[in-house]
Each structure stands twice: as C-alpha cells, then as structure tokens.
Amino acid sequence: MTVRIATFNTENLMSRFDFSGYRNELRQDRVAQLYDFSSEAQYHQAEIARAISLTDDTRQLTALAIADADADILCMQEVENLDTLHRFEYGYLFKMIGDGYRHKVLIDGNDGRGINLALMAREHTLDGAKIEILEVTSHAHLSYKAAGVYTPDLAEVAKPHDKVFKRDCLEVDLKIGPKRLTVYVVHFKSMGGPRNGVDGRTHTMAVRVAEARAVRKIISDRFGPDGGGKRYVIAGDFNDYSEKLVITGDRRNGYTFTPEEAEDGAVRVLEAGGFCENVVARRPEMDRWTLYHTRGPQERHLCQLDYLMASPALTRTSRDRLPDIVRAGQPWRTLFPEGQEVERYPRTGWDRPKASDHCPVAMTFDMV
C-alpha cells in the first residue's frame, strides 16, 4: 500500500481584490503604473478587470500543475480561505481531474495578508485505500517562549511572547487504510530583501530556524525525540535552502549554473540526527530546485524552497523512490539548466500567467 503526498505554494490563491495600490505605489501592479487614474473608483474598476482577466489563466495553470502532481494528499500554502479553495476546485481543478479532493482542511493563521495553509485529500489512494482525516490541530497560537525556542539572536526581530509561526504549523492526523500518518503543513517566514547591508536570508534566518525548532519540538513532544518510529511528513514552503545553483552569463553568451552550499538554516534543523529526510535531496544536485529567484542579472539562482521532510518510518522502505518536481507551470523567464527544459503549459507567459512562482513537489511513500 502506498500514499502519494505533494506540497505546493499556489501563490496568492485569493478571491478578494487588493485596492491598496491606489495609495501605495509599492503595492500597485506594474501594468497599473502605466496609466493615470482620475479617481479611486476608476482605479478600483481597472484593478478588478486586470485581476479577473489574469486570474483565469493563472488558475487554469495552477490546476494543471496540481493534476500533474497527482497526489492523494496535497499540502497547500497561500490559500485565502476554505470557500476560495472550494471555488477553485469546482471551477478549475474539477475540469482537470474530476471529483478528486473531497477532504479539505483550512484554519486561519497569523499571516497579515490572509494567506493560509490548507490540506486536501482524496477519498481513496490510487491503491484503493480509504483516506480519513482524524484530527486537525492549529499551532498558530504558540509563542517563542512556550515553544522554548527563543534565543538572543531573535532580539532585533521578535519578543519572547510573540507567535513563533508567521502563518501556522497545521497538524493533520490521517488514516490511510489501517495505517496512521501525520502531516505537518508549514510556510516559514519569507526572506525579504536586504536590510542595512545584510542580505534578506541572513536577516530573517533566526526566525525560520526558530520555526523549524518549534516544529521539531511539537513532533518530539508527541512522538519522542527520535520520532518514535511514527509516520510523519513536514510539508511546505520553508523559504530557505541549504544549497543553490548560482546563475551567471547572459542570453547572448549562454548561462552557467554553479552549485553553492549555503549556511545552516531551517532545513538542517529538521535533518539533524536523522529526525527526517529531505527526499528531494535524492535527486541529482543540479535537479533539486523548485524556485527561480532573481533581482536582476546581478542576483539570480535556482534553489529548493519546497520540501517533503519525511520521518525514518516513511523512508526506510521507500529508498528507491524519487520525488517528482512539476516545472511545466514555470514562466518562460525561468532559466533551466541544460537538459532540464520542459514543455510549458499552454498560455504560460514570460513572467505571467504561470501556475505559481513555486513548483509542486510530490512523492509516493510505502505505508508498511
């Protein structure tokens, strides 16, 4: 018996309009900056038209990427609410896969933009095993102090009684046939841009490390410090990497992709001592990336931000399995190493529309 699990940051799966760009140019869509609006009402009308026209293509591509991931259990980031998720499934995903994901879980978390974590599951696995959701627990309320993860290097960015998770750690207990599985859906603190001469990853590193330590403590408190031989997966967007492919060159002369190790971060907190395995690391070094990052020609790289961190109980009998990374929804601006190019979904744009800035990651695990 097997179960296929995927994670996907769907990039702003929302059903509301954002009109804040009228007063804050930093939040204004770039196409709106080409026009002068005579009134706020006119801006609202233009923003509604822009958002609706772009969103239709975007969500078709998002649905195609989910269909290609073909997961029994799908962990999602950046979903507004349960109603939005229902509408997306009915209006888009249903057209790709039919009546696939009857089970849906979403609890509002801590994100100020209202982007939340969600989990969807089929009624049965591909093997025919029944999938049941037994219990759902939010850890959005957990503070640094309560989790025991507050350290002096957090002093500039957080206080001990602040909530440790920038979104949540959504704990979902499932039953797959007769077997138990626990999934922890996460979306760690974003890196942001450089500040005071310090790059964004370094500036926000302490927050993500604390989030990872808190997740590990939640699991350890429940199952024991070594995981207790239980089946669990930590799935989501870590906004962190332990390696990247640095891109140099240009369109005229070609591009070079150079592997580069990164400093310790959230990933290594969860890998330490064999607590869990980053299954994407089973893929070749040049082929682990899930996101293309660029701030112009001076700063470009490919890296893995999206993870399935599986417990030893799940990986010990799945040693020969490799995870899949669905890249057909990437925009044309994404630079692919030689030999990795894929056929993009129809109507994919240079920058947009696209399925997401992230790629879904999926893997089949043995449930024995």
Side-chain angles (χ1 to χ4, degrees):
M1 184 176 67
T2 64
V3 62
R4 186 166 174 84
I5 304 172
T7 183
F8 189 22
N9 182 327
T10 57
E11 191 181 14
N12 298 323
L13 181 53
M14 295 181 175
S15 58
R16 68 178 186 270
F17 299 105
D18 182 2
F19 300 122
S20 60
Y22 182 74
R23 302 186 185 283
N24 182 355
E25 190 171 299
L26 294 176
R27 295 182 66 93
Q28 191 175 105
D29 186 83
R30 63 175 182 256
V31 72
Q33 296 175 12
L34 298 174
Y35 299 91
D36 290 323
F37 298 100
S38 60
S39 67
E40 186 168 0
Q42 187 184 55
Y43 176 82
H44 284 197
Q45 292 174 341
E47 177 59 23
I48 290 171
R50 182 203 67 82
I52 288 177
S53 61
L54 176 64
T55 299
D56 182 51
D57 279 341
T58 297
R59 293 314 163 198
Q60 289 186 61
L61 301 175
T62 302
L64 282 168
I66 291 173
D68 279 350
D70 195 24
D72 301 315
I73 298 169
L74 176 64
C75 306
M76 306 173 72
Q77 301 86 50
E78 298 199 10
V79 181
E80 182 175 356
N81 53 42
L82 202 54
D83 185 53
T84 301
L85 192 56
H86 280 298
R87 294 184 196 181
F88 167 69
E89 187 198 19
Y90 180 76
Y92 293 89
L93 192 56
F94 181 83
K95 300 179 187 304
M96 313 293 177
I97 63 172
D99 193 9
Y101 292 99
R102 286 291 187 92
H103 302 299
K104 296 181 184 68
V105 171
L106 187 148
I107 297 176
D108 288 341
N110 299 323
D111 188 88
R113 292 198 297 128
I115 53 174
N116 295 301
L117 307 176
L119 180 144
M120 298 198 300
R122 301 181 187 272
E123 289 191 293
H124 296 87
T125 67
L126 184 63
D127 293 343
K130 185 177 181 181
I131 301 176
E132 300 175 72
I133 293 181
L134 304 178
E135 189 171 354
V136 180
T137 305
S138 167
H139 295 280
H141 64 282
L142 190 66
S143 70
Y144 289 97
K145 183 176 180 180
V149 298
Y150 193 82
T151 54
D153 56 352
L154 285 162
E156 292 187 10
V157 293
K159 298 177 181 178
H161 292 286
D162 288 345
K163 295 172 181 176
V164 63
F165 294 115
K166 299 305 108 179
R167 282 89 182 184
D168 197 355
C169 172
L170 190 62
E171 181 176 358
V172 184
D173 287 310
L174 302 107
K175 190 175 181 182
I176 316 296
K179 308 290 186 178
R180 297 288 292 266
L181 171 70
T182 303
V183 178
Y184 297 87
V185 190
V186 300
H187 186 185
F188 291 163
K189 167 70 176 174
S190 59
M191 295 186 208
R195 296 186 184 181
N196 302 321
V198 179
D199 67 89
R201 180 175 184 267
T202 301
H203 180 75
T204 54
M205 176 69 73
V207 178
R208 286 186 299 280
V209 167
E211 288 180 295
R213 290 176 62 205
V215 173
R216 183 162 181 159
K217 187 174 188 301
I218 288 167
I219 298 172
S220 297
D221 286 350
R222 181 176 177 184
F223 297 134
D226 60 354
K230 303 298 183 181
R231 302 179 197 88
Y232 55 82
V233 175
I234 306 163
D237 175 3
F238 283 21
N239 272 314
D240 205 356
Y241 52 82
S242 55
E243 58 188 2
K244 61 183 178 180
L245 299 177
V246 178
I247 303 172
T248 54
D250 55 40
R251 183 179 298 182
R252 174 176 294 177
N253 299 300
Y255 298 97
T256 300
F257 300 81
T258 305
E260 183 179 294
E261 291 288 321
E263 297 178 3
D264 289 351
V267 182
R268 292 198 171 99
V269 169
L270 294 167
E271 289 178 320
F275 188 74
C276 55
E277 177 192 346
N278 170 21
V279 296
V280 172
R282 297 181 180 187
R283 294 171 65 99
E285 181 181 40
M286 299 288 289
D287 196 20
R288 298 169 183 166
W289 60 274
T290 67
L291 180 131
Y292 169 59
H293 167 83
T294 179
R295 292 186 185 276
Q298 73 282 0
E299 183 181 333
R300 293 178 300 199
H301 64 253
L302 297 168
C303 63
Q304 181 193 356
L305 294 189
D306 305 276
Y307 292 83
L308 294 175
M309 306 288 286
S311 70
L314 268 181
T315 58
R316 65 170 180 257
T317 57
S318 306
R319 299 311 311 170
D320 296 330
R321 297 187 185 274
L322 291 177
D324 297 307
I325 301 174
V326 180
R327 297 183 178 130
Q330 282 288 290
W332 286 96
R333 68 180 176 86
T334 299
L335 300 174
F336 282 67
E338 185 177 357
Q340 293 184 24
E341 295 86 354
V342 297
E343 183 178 350
R344 306 301 210 283
Y345 297 134
R347 297 179 67 84
T348 298
W350 180 82
D351 178 55
R352 61 187 184 186
K354 57 184 180 293
S356 171
D357 52 346
H358 293 251
C359 300
V361 176
M363 180 159 159
T364 301
F365 295 93
D366 293 320
M367 294 287 290
V368 297

